[in-house]
Amino acid sequence: MAHGIMVAKGAGMGDSPLTRRRFLSLGAGTLAAATAARYFLAPHEAKAAAHGTIDPATDGKIVRSICEVCFWKCGIQGHVQGDKLLKLQGSPVHPLSNGKLCPRGAGGLGQAYDGDRLVKPLLRVGPRGSEEFKAVSWDEALGFIAGKLDELRKKYGPETVALFNHGAGASWFKHLLQAYGTANFGAPSFAQCRGPRDVAFDATFGSDPGSPEVLDIGNSDCLVLIGSHLGENMHNTQVQEFAEFVARGGDLIVVDPRFSTAASKAYTWLPIRPGTDTALLLAWLNVIIGEGRYNRSYVEAYTTGFDKVAEAVKSYTPEWASAETGLDAETIRNTARRIAAAAPASLIHPGRHSTWYGPDDVHRSRAIAILNAVLGSWGHRGGFFRPAGMKLAKYPTPPYPKAKPPADRLPGEAPFALEPLAQGIRRASIDGKPYPVKGWFVYGTNLIQSLPERAETLKAIQELELLVVCDLIPAEIAGYADVVLPEASYLERYDDLQPVSWHQSGVALRQPMIPPLGDSKPGWWIARELGLRLGLEAFFPWKDAESYLRERCKLSNLDYDTLAREGFLPAPAKPTVVEDGLALTFGTESKKIELYLDRFEKAGFDPVPVYRRPNAPPPGYFRLLYGRAASQTFGRTSNNRLLGELSRNDRVWLNAKVAADLGIVDGQRVKLVNQDGVESAPIEVKATERIRGDCVFMVHGYGHTAKGLTYARKRGGADDAGLVTRVVVDPVMGGTGMRVNFVAIKKVER
Ligand code: MGD
Ligand code: SF4
C-alpha cells in the first residue's frame, strides 16, 4: 500500500519547550523514552557499540568519536548506558574541541533521537515529488539500485552517474562510484560556498586556508572579520580562540552591514554597503602600501609581483572607497594603520561562505589574501599557521578505472575551479552537454535548499532515470527520490579515519556509541553491499568497517585499540609557525606568494583584484542577506528539536526606521517577495537598529515543506533559498553569487 514517508514512531524528543538549563542538563530520564524505539540491532554494531571506557559517574561507558553536526569535526565523548546515549561532551584530548562543544555539537543527540528519522529503505510509488513511498527490504532496495546502475552504465557509460555529497560519510560512496567509473562528484560546499576563497588563496599562496581554517586567532593582536559572523557562525575551536582574543583586548574590526554578535565585541564596526567590500580592501592596501606600512622584509623574501600590485592600488584612495562603501574615509585610513601596526600577528579572516556577488568573489578573496601577504601573517604566530598534518596509509585496493572528466563545465568555462561545480552537473542533466548525466546519488545534501535556482534543480530531477537519496530524515530532496536509503547517524556508525590538521595534528576515529535506529545502516555497509552487487568486490576486500580501520591503522603504524579508546592519536609535534622554526615554502609555480597572477592574465582575467560596483536594490526592494545562527547548520539541525527549542532564529531583520516608515511593527508577520515575484512563507519581522536600511537578513535553513519533517515544517521562518532565483556566476571558478537577489516586504493580514 502506498503511504507518505515513514517515520520512527515514538522515537522523538517530543515537543515540550526546552530551556537552556534543561538543554545543558539533559540526562537519562529525558532520553529513556526516546530510546524505546531502538530495535534491529545488527550483531557487528552491537559489538562495536560496546567500545569505550567505564564512566565512574554512571557506571556506563564513555565512548570517544567525532561530531558531524557541521564540517568542523570536533572530538566528542558520549556517556552511554546500555544502548542509550545520555550526554555528549567535548573530548578533552581532541585539539579541535579541547573538552568543549558548540551548542549544535552538544545537541547532536537530537539528531540521533529525531522522531522523524528514516528507519526503512523506501521505494517511490507516486510521481517524483509526491513523497509517496513503500517500505522495502534492504535487499530489494539495493537490488533495484544495482540493477539501474548496471543499466545506466551500459546505456550511457558510467560517467552518467553523479554523486552530490556533503559530510565525511560520503567517502564510502565516492570510493564506490570511482570504482564504478565516474568522476562526477558535485558538492555544494564548493561552488555554493568556499570555492572563491579557496581558489583565491590557492592561486596566491599555493594552498587554501583549509577546513578547519588554519587561523591562529588565539595569538593575533588584530583581527578583521569581513562578512564572517563568528559566534553566530559557530566553529568551536575558532570561537574558543575568538573568546580568548576578545578577553585579552585584541583589536577587533568587524565589517558587516549588520551589527552582528561579533560586531558587538569590536572596537570598530564598519557598517558597509553590501557588496562593496572589495573597495574597502583595496583602500586598505592603498594606505598600507602607500604609507610604507607593509612588512618589507617578508614581501622581499617571499612574494612576486609586489610592484605591480602597488601600482594598481594607487588610485583606490580611502576617499574613493568612502563613496563606494558608505564608510568614513578617515576611519578607513585609521583602521588600515591599526591592521598594519599589529603585523605580522594581524589577521584578515578569509571567511568561508564566499559566493556572494559572482565576478567580485574571487577578487574580494584575492584582496584578502594579498593583504595578509603584505602584512606577513601567512606562516607567523597570530596569523595563518602551517599544520604538519598526518600521513595515513591507504587501504590497498585496485586502481580506479579511468573516468571521463566531469560534465560540470563546457569548454572554456570556469578554468580555475578546483572541484566540480554542482550546478554544472545539474545543467548536464537538463541539456545533456557535454554528455548526459542520468543518475544522481545524493548523500547528506538537501539539494532543494542547497542549490540556488530551484526551478533548474526540479527540471533536472524530472530528466533523471535514477535518483537515490541517502539521508537520516525525509528532507525535501528525499521526496523526489526513486529510492531513499536510511543511514545510521554519526553517533551510530564507523566512518573512515579522519586526519586532523591543527596546531597539534593527528588522527581521529568515528565509532558508534549506540546501535543504529530501526533498520538504518551505516554508509560503509551500504556502499559495500552495492559494490558487491555491481561486481566490484575487489574494491571492498574487507568484511566490515572495523577490520578496514584496523588494517589502515596497521599500515600507518598506529595502534587501533589505543585510537578506539582515546578517539584521537597525536602526530609527532612539528613547528607550525616561523617563530617556532617553520621554514616557509609555497606550493605555487614560482614557489613564492604570487601577488600578481600571470596565470589569470593569460586566461583573460584580471591579474590584480579590481572592484565592480554591485547593482543597487530597485526602489521598494532590499538586498536579501542570509547567514547562520549559533544553533543552526542548514538542514543538519533544522529538524533537531533540542536545538530548535533553544533559540529563535526564524525572523527577518529589518531596519527599525525603515520598518516604521513602512508601518511595520516588531513581531509583525510579512511575506518577502523577490524581484521575480517569488513569495516566501510568512515570517516575523525583527525591527532593529542593528541592520542597515538597504538590506534584510535571515538565517538560512528554515521554511521546510517536506511532509515527513514534522518538526521543521511547523517551526516558523521562511526559506531564503527559495528566494534565490538568480545567481551571478564567477567566470574564474564557477561560484554562484547568491546575494544578488532583492525582496520587497508584503504585509500579511492577521
Ligand atoms: P546540510 O543542510 O547541512 O547541507 O547545504 P547541504 O549540503 O544541503 O545537510 C543536508 C542533509 O544532510 C540534511 O537533509 C541532513 O539530514 C543530512 N544529513 C545530516 N547528517 C547526515 C549523515 O550522517 N548521513 C547522511 N546520509 N545524511 C545526513 C549546505 C550548503 O548549502 C553549503 S555548505 C553552503 S555554505 C551553502 N549555503 C547556502 C546559504 O547560506 N544560502 C543559500 N540560499 N544556499 C546555500 N547553499 C549552500
Ligand atoms: Fe560539532 Fe559544533 Fe564542532 Fe561543528 S563546531 S563539529 S557542530 S561541536
Side-chain angles (χ1 to χ4, degrees), residues 5-167:
I5 279 186
M6 305 234 319
V7 297
K9 295 286 173 244
M13 287 284 192
D15 291 336
S16 62
L18 188 77
T19 60
R20 272 168 202 272
R21 184 183 294 275
R22 248 191 85 216
F23 174 78
L24 293 171
S25 66
L26 258 182
T30 322
L31 295 174
T35 51
R38 299 197 152 264
Y39 51 107
F40 287 113
L41 176 55
H44 59 272
E45 292 294 342
K47 183 168 152 271
H51 268 306
T53 51
I54 299 294
D55 178 0
T58 61
D59 236 12
K61 294 227 160 186
I62 293 178
V63 185
R64 299 243 174 95
S65 185
I66 309 171
C67 185
E68 180 77 25
V69 184
C70 85
F71 53 80
W72 202 258
K73 299 190 182 63
C74 298
I76 49 178
Q77 62 179 29
H79 297 254
V80 181
Q81 211 156 37
D83 61 6
K84 296 185 199 103
L85 178 56
L86 309 183
K87 170 161 90 172
L88 287 171
Q89 288 180 313
S91 160
V93 298
H94 194 296
L96 293 179
S97 41
N98 302 313
K100 300 185 189 100
L101 295 180
C102 84
R104 296 163 307 156
L109 286 87
Q111 191 187 80
Y113 293 122
D114 186 334
D116 293 334
R117 279 276 301 272
L118 294 159
V119 290
K120 276 273 187 194
L122 304 173
L123 266 191
R124 181 166 63 82
V125 293
R128 283 209 171 115
S130 65
E131 302 182 68
E132 285 169 20
F133 296 92
K134 65 173 180 180
V136 295
S137 67
W138 274 100
D139 198 43
E140 190 178 343
L142 296 174
F144 177 89
I145 298 169
K148 276 283 184 190
L149 286 174
D150 202 38
E151 193 183 307
L152 288 174
R153 177 164 54 185
K154 287 181 186 137
K155 208 161 148 192
Y156 303 102
E159 63 279 359
T160 200
V161 175
L163 173 70
F164 291 90
N165 62 286
H166 196 188

Side-chain angles (χ1 to χ4, degrees), residues 404-426:
K404 264 197 183 174
D408 65 319
R409 279 174 278 166
L410 298 176
E413 270 181 350
F416 292 97
L418 293 169
E419 296 177 26
L421 311 173
Q423 82 279 7
I425 296 176
R426 176 182 69 184

Side-chain angles (χ1 to χ4, degrees), residues 44-45 47-52 63-65 172 390 392 395 493-498 507-512 524 544-569:
H44 59 272
E45 292 294 342
K47 183 168 152 271
H51 268 306
V63 185
R64 299 243 174 95
S65 185
W172 309 106
M390 184 158 183
L392 295 169
Y395 193 104
R493 66 174 196 244
Y494 286 103
D495 271 324
D496 208 345
L497 294 179
Q498 183 67 48
V507 59
L509 178 68
R510 169 164 298 137
Q511 55 186 335
W524 65 261
D544 57 26
E546 195 180 341
S547 60
Y548 166 93
L549 293 163
R550 276 190 184 279
E551 183 62 16
R552 259 197 100 181
C553 280
K554 196 167 117 201
L555 296 170
S556 311
N557 286 327
L558 297 169
D559 180 37
Y560 176 80
D561 291 311
T562 314
L563 178 60
R565 191 178 62 246
E566 297 294 324
F568 173 79
L569 288 180

Side-chain angles (χ1 to χ4, degrees), residues 324-400:
E324 294 298 326
T325 59
L327 304 171
D328 169 57
E330 231 12 64
T331 310
I332 296 175
R333 197 166 272 113
N334 289 337
T335 43
R337 290 174 184 157
R338 272 158 53 195
I339 292 166
S346 188
L347 252 177
I348 318 294
H349 195 298
R352 187 171 181 99
H353 177 84
S354 46
T355 43
W356 298 355
Y357 296 97
D360 184 59
D361 293 337
V362 165
H363 286 306
R364 187 184 64 253
S365 296
R366 274 266 298 148
I368 293 174
I370 293 171
L371 257 174
N372 280 301
V374 301
L375 295 168
S377 67
W378 186 268
H380 275 285
R381 199 186 303 289
F384 292 74
F385 63 93
R386 309 298 302 135
M390 184 158 183
K391 272 223 166 324
L392 295 169
K394 286 206 159 76
Y395 193 104
T397 50
Y400 296 125

